[in-house]
Amino acid sequence: MKTTGERFEMTFALRLTVEGGLITRHHMYDDSLAVLHAFDWAPPGNAKGACNALVAGR
């Protein structure tokens, strides 16, 4: 990760809808909180510790 220098792994699922040979819908299911944590980012108005507490399950 460019921001923190840390590597991370994440499981994700990809759901595609194909109609007439073309992808018409794309849904990616992932752990967006893990991505936020990897970028060391907290939502506006929240302390960075709040995001870290969610990741740690506290």
Side-chain angles (χ1 to χ4, degrees), residues 10-32:
M10 179 178 61
T11 301
F12 69 94
L14 186 60
R15 179 182 180 193
L16 302 174
T17 303
V18 180
E19 297 174 346
L22 299 173
I23 297 172
T24 58
R25 290 187 185 194
H26 169 267
H27 296 271
M28 185 167 149
Y29 302 92
D30 61 17
D31 183 355
S32 54

Side-chain angles (χ1 to χ4, degrees), residues 36 41-52 54:
L36 293 177
W41 183 85
N46 290 347
K48 186 189 297 183
C51 186
N52 291 337
L54 286 171

